[in-house]
mmCIF file of all heavy atoms in Angstrom:
data_model
loop_
_atom_site.group_PDB
_atom_site.id
_atom_site.type_symbol
_atom_site.label_atom_id
_atom_site.label_comp_id
_atom_site.label_asym_id
_atom_site.label_seq_id
_atom_site.Cartn_x
_atom_site.Cartn_y
_atom_site.Cartn_z
ATOM 1 N N VAL A 75 1.547 -0.884 -18.537
ATOM 2 C CA VAL A 75 1.363 -1.167 -17.118
ATOM 3 C C VAL A 75 2.598 -0.744 -16.331
ATOM 4 O O VAL A 75 3.738 -0.990 -16.739
ATOM 5 C CB VAL A 75 1.086 -2.670 -16.897
ATOM 6 C CG1 VAL A 75 0.937 -2.980 -15.417
ATOM 7 C CG2 VAL A 75 -0.153 -3.103 -17.672
ATOM 8 N N LEU A 76 2.377 -0.109 -15.190
ATOM 9 C CA LEU A 76 3.457 0.283 -14.287
ATOM 10 C C LEU A 76 3.742 -0.873 -13.333
ATOM 11 O O LEU A 76 2.856 -1.312 -12.602
ATOM 12 C CB LEU A 76 3.062 1.526 -13.489
ATOM 13 C CG LEU A 76 4.027 1.963 -12.377
ATOM 14 C CD1 LEU A 76 5.368 2.385 -12.954
ATOM 15 C CD2 LEU A 76 3.402 3.092 -11.553
ATOM 16 N N GLU A 77 4.957 -1.383 -13.350
ATOM 17 C CA GLU A 77 5.339 -2.458 -12.436
ATOM 18 C C GLU A 77 5.829 -1.849 -11.124
ATOM 19 O O GLU A 77 6.682 -0.962 -11.115
ATOM 20 C CB GLU A 77 6.423 -3.335 -13.049
ATOM 21 C CG GLU A 77 5.959 -4.103 -14.283
ATOM 22 C CD GLU A 77 7.011 -5.056 -14.801
ATOM 23 O OE1 GLU A 77 7.315 -6.040 -14.101
ATOM 24 O OE2 GLU A 77 7.540 -4.802 -15.898
ATOM 25 N N VAL A 78 5.281 -2.346 -10.015
ATOM 26 C CA VAL A 78 5.615 -1.816 -8.689
ATOM 27 C C VAL A 78 5.951 -2.973 -7.765
ATOM 28 O O VAL A 78 5.264 -3.998 -7.755
ATOM 29 C CB VAL A 78 4.447 -0.996 -8.105
ATOM 30 C CG1 VAL A 78 4.817 -0.454 -6.726
ATOM 31 C CG2 VAL A 78 4.074 0.147 -9.035
ATOM 32 N N SER A 79 6.989 -2.806 -6.968
ATOM 33 C CA SER A 79 7.440 -3.830 -6.032
ATOM 34 C C SER A 79 7.270 -3.354 -4.597
ATOM 35 O O SER A 79 7.533 -2.191 -4.280
ATOM 36 C CB SER A 79 8.915 -4.164 -6.281
ATOM 37 O OG SER A 79 9.429 -4.994 -5.255
ATOM 38 N N LEU A 80 6.838 -4.247 -3.728
ATOM 39 C CA LEU A 80 6.740 -3.920 -2.313
ATOM 40 C C LEU A 80 8.108 -3.944 -1.651
ATOM 41 O O LEU A 80 8.325 -3.279 -0.637
ATOM 42 C CB LEU A 80 5.791 -4.906 -1.607
ATOM 43 C CG LEU A 80 5.421 -4.612 -0.162
ATOM 44 C CD1 LEU A 80 4.714 -3.262 -0.040
ATOM 45 C CD2 LEU A 80 4.546 -5.713 0.402
ATOM 46 N N GLY A 81 9.034 -4.687 -2.209
ATOM 47 C CA GLY A 81 10.380 -4.769 -1.646
ATOM 48 C C GLY A 81 11.198 -5.812 -2.362
ATOM 49 O O GLY A 81 10.719 -6.487 -3.283
ATOM 50 N N ASP A 82 12.431 -5.963 -1.927
ATOM 51 C CA ASP A 82 13.357 -6.879 -2.594
ATOM 52 C C ASP A 82 13.210 -8.300 -2.065
ATOM 53 O O ASP A 82 14.106 -8.865 -1.421
ATOM 54 C CB ASP A 82 14.800 -6.389 -2.418
ATOM 55 C CG ASP A 82 15.043 -5.069 -3.119
ATOM 56 O OD1 ASP A 82 14.275 -4.733 -4.029
ATOM 57 O OD2 ASP A 82 16.006 -4.372 -2.745
ATOM 58 N N PHE A 83 12.055 -8.879 -2.323
ATOM 59 C CA PHE A 83 11.780 -10.264 -1.956
ATOM 60 C C PHE A 83 10.664 -10.763 -2.858
ATOM 61 O O PHE A 83 9.998 -9.975 -3.528
ATOM 62 C CB PHE A 83 11.376 -10.385 -0.477
ATOM 63 C CG PHE A 83 10.300 -9.422 -0.061
ATOM 64 C CD1 PHE A 83 8.961 -9.732 -0.219
ATOM 65 C CD2 PHE A 83 10.629 -8.187 0.484
ATOM 66 C CE1 PHE A 83 7.966 -8.850 0.162
ATOM 67 C CE2 PHE A 83 9.647 -7.296 0.871
ATOM 68 C CZ PHE A 83 8.312 -7.620 0.705
ATOM 69 N N VAL A 84 10.456 -12.066 -2.885
ATOM 70 C CA VAL A 84 9.460 -12.669 -3.767
ATOM 71 C C VAL A 84 8.341 -13.263 -2.921
ATOM 72 O O VAL A 84 8.596 -13.968 -1.938
ATOM 73 C CB VAL A 84 10.091 -13.764 -4.654
ATOM 74 C CG1 VAL A 84 9.024 -14.409 -5.547
ATOM 75 C CG2 VAL A 84 11.203 -13.169 -5.502
ATOM 76 N N MET A 85 7.095 -12.977 -3.302
ATOM 77 C CA MET A 85 5.931 -13.515 -2.612
ATOM 78 C C MET A 85 5.190 -14.483 -3.528
ATOM 79 O O MET A 85 5.427 -14.509 -4.740
ATOM 80 C CB MET A 85 5.000 -12.376 -2.181
ATOM 81 C CG MET A 85 5.676 -11.356 -1.279
ATOM 82 S SD MET A 85 4.609 -9.969 -0.830
ATOM 83 C CE MET A 85 3.485 -10.793 0.305
ATOM 84 N N THR A 86 4.280 -15.256 -2.958
ATOM 85 C CA THR A 86 3.527 -16.232 -3.735
ATOM 86 C C THR A 86 2.603 -15.559 -4.737
ATOM 87 O O THR A 86 2.350 -16.078 -5.819
ATOM 88 C CB THR A 86 2.713 -17.141 -2.789
ATOM 89 O OG1 THR A 86 3.605 -17.711 -1.833
ATOM 90 C CG2 THR A 86 2.028 -18.258 -3.564
ATOM 91 N N GLY A 87 2.071 -14.428 -4.369
ATOM 92 C CA GLY A 87 1.170 -13.686 -5.252
ATOM 93 C C GLY A 87 1.120 -12.231 -4.837
ATOM 94 O O GLY A 87 1.732 -11.823 -3.844
ATOM 95 N N GLY A 88 0.370 -11.440 -5.580
ATOM 96 C CA GLY A 88 0.360 -10.002 -5.347
ATOM 97 C C GLY A 88 -0.688 -9.502 -4.370
ATOM 98 O O GLY A 88 -0.744 -8.304 -4.091
ATOM 99 N N GLU A 89 -1.519 -10.391 -3.833
ATOM 100 C CA GLU A 89 -2.648 -9.942 -3.012
ATOM 101 C C GLU A 89 -2.205 -9.231 -1.735
ATOM 102 O O GLU A 89 -2.746 -8.169 -1.382
ATOM 103 C CB GLU A 89 -3.558 -11.129 -2.671
ATOM 104 C CG GLU A 89 -4.409 -11.619 -3.821
ATOM 105 C CD GLU A 89 -3.640 -12.441 -4.847
ATOM 106 O OE1 GLU A 89 -2.500 -12.897 -4.519
ATOM 107 O OE2 GLU A 89 -4.156 -12.641 -5.972
ATOM 108 N N LEU A 90 -1.252 -9.795 -1.013
ATOM 109 C CA LEU A 90 -0.787 -9.157 0.221
ATOM 110 C C LEU A 90 -0.095 -7.829 -0.074
ATOM 111 O O LEU A 90 -0.267 -6.849 0.657
ATOM 112 C CB LEU A 90 0.155 -10.090 0.980
ATOM 113 C CG LEU A 90 -0.494 -11.300 1.646
ATOM 114 C CD1 LEU A 90 0.568 -12.208 2.258
ATOM 115 C CD2 LEU A 90 -1.477 -10.863 2.723
ATOM 116 N N ALA A 91 0.682 -7.803 -1.152
ATOM 117 C CA ALA A 91 1.348 -6.563 -1.542
ATOM 118 C C ALA A 91 0.326 -5.493 -1.907
ATOM 119 O O ALA A 91 0.462 -4.322 -1.550
ATOM 120 C CB ALA A 91 2.293 -6.817 -2.718
ATOM 121 N N ALA A 92 -0.737 -5.900 -2.602
ATOM 122 C CA ALA A 92 -1.788 -4.955 -2.984
ATOM 123 C C ALA A 92 -2.447 -4.356 -1.747
ATOM 124 O O ALA A 92 -2.681 -3.144 -1.679
ATOM 125 C CB ALA A 92 -2.829 -5.655 -3.852
ATOM 126 N N GLN A 93 -2.734 -5.193 -0.754
ATOM 127 C CA GLN A 93 -3.368 -4.691 0.461
ATOM 128 C C GLN A 93 -2.456 -3.718 1.197
ATOM 129 O O GLN A 93 -2.917 -2.700 1.726
ATOM 130 C CB GLN A 93 -3.770 -5.850 1.371
ATOM 131 C CG GLN A 93 -4.915 -6.677 0.805
ATOM 132 C CD GLN A 93 -5.498 -7.653 1.813
ATOM 133 O OE1 GLN A 93 -5.418 -7.451 3.012
ATOM 134 N NE2 GLN A 93 -6.102 -8.722 1.316
ATOM 135 N N ALA A 94 -1.167 -4.021 1.242
ATOM 136 C CA ALA A 94 -0.227 -3.126 1.915
ATOM 137 C C ALA A 94 -0.169 -1.766 1.216
ATOM 138 O O ALA A 94 -0.189 -0.713 1.868
ATOM 139 C CB ALA A 94 1.167 -3.762 1.949
ATOM 140 N N MET A 95 -0.107 -1.777 -0.110
ATOM 141 C CA MET A 95 -0.023 -0.520 -0.854
ATOM 142 C C MET A 95 -1.316 0.284 -0.753
ATOM 143 O O MET A 95 -1.285 1.516 -0.647
ATOM 144 C CB MET A 95 0.313 -0.809 -2.315
ATOM 145 C CG MET A 95 1.705 -1.376 -2.519
ATOM 146 S SD MET A 95 2.067 -1.668 -4.276
ATOM 147 C CE MET A 95 3.538 -2.690 -4.134
ATOM 148 N N ILE A 96 -2.454 -0.406 -0.788
ATOM 149 C CA ILE A 96 -3.730 0.289 -0.655
ATOM 150 C C ILE A 96 -3.839 0.919 0.723
ATOM 151 O O ILE A 96 -4.287 2.064 0.868
ATOM 152 C CB ILE A 96 -4.898 -0.678 -0.911
ATOM 153 C CG1 ILE A 96 -4.918 -1.109 -2.385
ATOM 154 C CG2 ILE A 96 -6.230 -0.022 -0.546
ATOM 155 C CD1 ILE A 96 -5.907 -2.224 -2.674
ATOM 156 N N ASP A 97 -3.437 0.193 1.750
ATOM 157 C CA ASP A 97 -3.481 0.727 3.110
ATOM 158 C C ASP A 97 -2.657 2.007 3.216
ATOM 159 O O ASP A 97 -3.114 3.010 3.771
ATOM 160 C CB ASP A 97 -2.955 -0.317 4.099
ATOM 161 C CG ASP A 97 -3.002 0.171 5.533
ATOM 162 O OD1 ASP A 97 -2.045 0.837 5.963
ATOM 163 O OD2 ASP A 97 -3.991 -0.109 6.222
ATOM 164 N N ALA A 98 -1.435 1.973 2.686
ATOM 165 C CA ALA A 98 -0.563 3.142 2.751
ATOM 166 C C ALA A 98 -1.136 4.321 1.974
ATOM 167 O O ALA A 98 -0.905 5.483 2.337
ATOM 168 C CB ALA A 98 0.824 2.788 2.196
ATOM 169 N N THR A 99 -1.909 4.032 0.925
ATOM 170 C CA THR A 99 -2.481 5.087 0.092
ATOM 171 C C THR A 99 -3.767 5.645 0.686
ATOM 172 O O THR A 99 -3.952 6.855 0.782
ATOM 173 C CB THR A 99 -2.759 4.544 -1.324
ATOM 174 O OG1 THR A 99 -1.537 4.078 -1.903
ATOM 175 C CG2 THR A 99 -3.353 5.622 -2.213
ATOM 176 N N VAL A 100 -4.659 4.764 1.117
ATOM 177 C CA VAL A 100 -5.971 5.187 1.603
ATOM 178 C C VAL A 100 -5.853 6.089 2.824
ATOM 179 O O VAL A 100 -6.621 7.052 2.980
ATOM 180 C CB VAL A 100 -6.841 3.950 1.915
ATOM 181 C CG1 VAL A 100 -8.040 4.320 2.767
ATOM 182 C CG2 VAL A 100 -7.296 3.296 0.617
ATOM 183 N N ARG A 101 -4.903 5.815 3.695
ATOM 184 C CA ARG A 101 -4.779 6.619 4.913
ATOM 185 C C ARG A 101 -4.369 8.064 4.607
ATOM 186 O O ARG A 101 -4.458 8.925 5.483
ATOM 187 C CB ARG A 101 -3.797 5.976 5.881
ATOM 188 C CG ARG A 101 -2.401 5.821 5.371
ATOM 189 C CD ARG A 101 -1.616 4.775 6.158
ATOM 190 N NE ARG A 101 -1.741 4.965 7.596
ATOM 191 C CZ ARG A 101 -1.041 5.851 8.290
ATOM 192 N NH1 ARG A 101 -0.193 6.637 7.656
ATOM 193 N NH2 ARG A 101 -1.187 5.963 9.594
ATOM 194 N N LEU A 102 -3.955 8.332 3.362
ATOM 195 C CA LEU A 102 -3.602 9.694 2.958
ATOM 196 C C LEU A 102 -4.783 10.433 2.342
ATOM 197 O O LEU A 102 -4.687 11.629 2.066
ATOM 198 C CB LEU A 102 -2.449 9.661 1.944
ATOM 199 C CG LEU A 102 -1.139 9.044 2.440
ATOM 200 C CD1 LEU A 102 -0.116 9.004 1.307
ATOM 201 C CD2 LEU A 102 -0.592 9.798 3.635
ATOM 202 N N LEU A 103 -5.901 9.723 2.120
ATOM 203 C CA LEU A 103 -7.075 10.370 1.539
ATOM 204 C C LEU A 103 -7.724 11.294 2.569
ATOM 205 O O LEU A 103 -7.675 11.027 3.772
ATOM 206 C CB LEU A 103 -8.086 9.315 1.084
ATOM 207 C CG LEU A 103 -7.620 8.351 -0.010
ATOM 208 C CD1 LEU A 103 -8.709 7.312 -0.275
ATOM 209 C CD2 LEU A 103 -7.273 9.095 -1.287
ATOM 210 N N PRO A 104 -8.345 12.384 2.120
ATOM 211 C CA PRO A 104 -8.976 13.331 3.040
ATOM 212 C C PRO A 104 -10.018 12.665 3.935
ATOM 213 O O PRO A 104 -10.858 11.902 3.464
ATOM 214 C CB PRO A 104 -9.647 14.342 2.094
ATOM 215 C CG PRO A 104 -8.865 14.263 0.826
ATOM 216 C CD PRO A 104 -8.455 12.820 0.710
ATOM 217 N N GLY A 105 -9.911 12.936 5.230
ATOM 218 C CA GLY A 105 -10.906 12.469 6.174
ATOM 219 C C GLY A 105 -10.721 11.069 6.697
ATOM 220 O O GLY A 105 -11.499 10.612 7.545
ATOM 221 N N VAL A 106 -9.703 10.331 6.228
ATOM 222 C CA VAL A 106 -9.517 8.948 6.679
ATOM 223 C C VAL A 106 -8.861 8.902 8.051
ATOM 224 O O VAL A 106 -9.309 8.179 8.951
ATOM 225 C CB VAL A 106 -8.699 8.139 5.657
ATOM 226 C CG1 VAL A 106 -8.363 6.754 6.205
ATOM 227 C CG2 VAL A 106 -9.471 8.013 4.351
ATOM 228 N N LEU A 107 -7.799 9.668 8.234
ATOM 229 C CA LEU A 107 -7.155 9.746 9.541
ATOM 230 C C LEU A 107 -7.893 10.739 10.419
ATOM 231 O O LEU A 107 -8.250 11.830 9.977
ATOM 232 C CB LEU A 107 -5.686 10.171 9.400
ATOM 233 C CG LEU A 107 -4.723 9.151 8.798
ATOM 234 C CD1 LEU A 107 -3.308 9.714 8.798
ATOM 235 C CD2 LEU A 107 -4.754 7.845 9.579
ATOM 236 N N GLY A 108 -8.081 10.394 11.676
ATOM 237 C CA GLY A 108 -8.773 11.292 12.581
ATOM 238 C C GLY A 108 -7.994 12.573 12.829
ATOM 239 O O GLY A 108 -8.561 13.647 12.950
ATOM 240 N N ASN A 109 -6.672 12.476 12.889
ATOM 241 C CA ASN A 109 -5.820 13.636 13.131
ATOM 242 C C ASN A 109 -4.945 13.842 11.905
ATOM 243 O O ASN A 109 -4.062 13.040 11.618
ATOM 244 C CB ASN A 109 -4.950 13.403 14.371
ATOM 245 C CG ASN A 109 -4.089 14.609 14.714
ATOM 246 O OD1 ASN A 109 -4.057 15.590 13.972
ATOM 247 N ND2 ASN A 109 -3.389 14.523 15.828
ATOM 248 N N ALA A 110 -5.187 14.913 11.178
ATOM 249 C CA ALA A 110 -4.455 15.167 9.931
ATOM 250 C C ALA A 110 -2.962 15.312 10.172
ATOM 251 O O ALA A 110 -2.149 15.025 9.291
ATOM 252 C CB ALA A 110 -4.995 16.424 9.258
ATOM 253 N N GLU A 111 -2.572 15.739 11.385
ATOM 254 C CA GLU A 111 -1.154 15.923 11.673
ATOM 255 C C GLU A 111 -0.423 14.593 11.741
ATOM 256 O O GLU A 111 0.796 14.541 11.582
ATOM 257 C CB GLU A 111 -0.978 16.672 12.993
ATOM 258 C CG GLU A 111 -1.436 18.129 12.938
ATOM 259 C CD GLU A 111 -1.190 18.839 14.253
ATOM 260 O OE1 GLU A 111 -0.654 18.189 15.186
ATOM 261 O OE2 GLU A 111 -1.512 20.028 14.349
#
């Protein structure tokens, strides 16, 4: 398993961190952003 941190702080659980990382990733998928630039 690859361990990944959202930052140098501790949270109660990984759910919020997961949503933040997914958001940052999904917006890079083709067709998600209206303006590719």
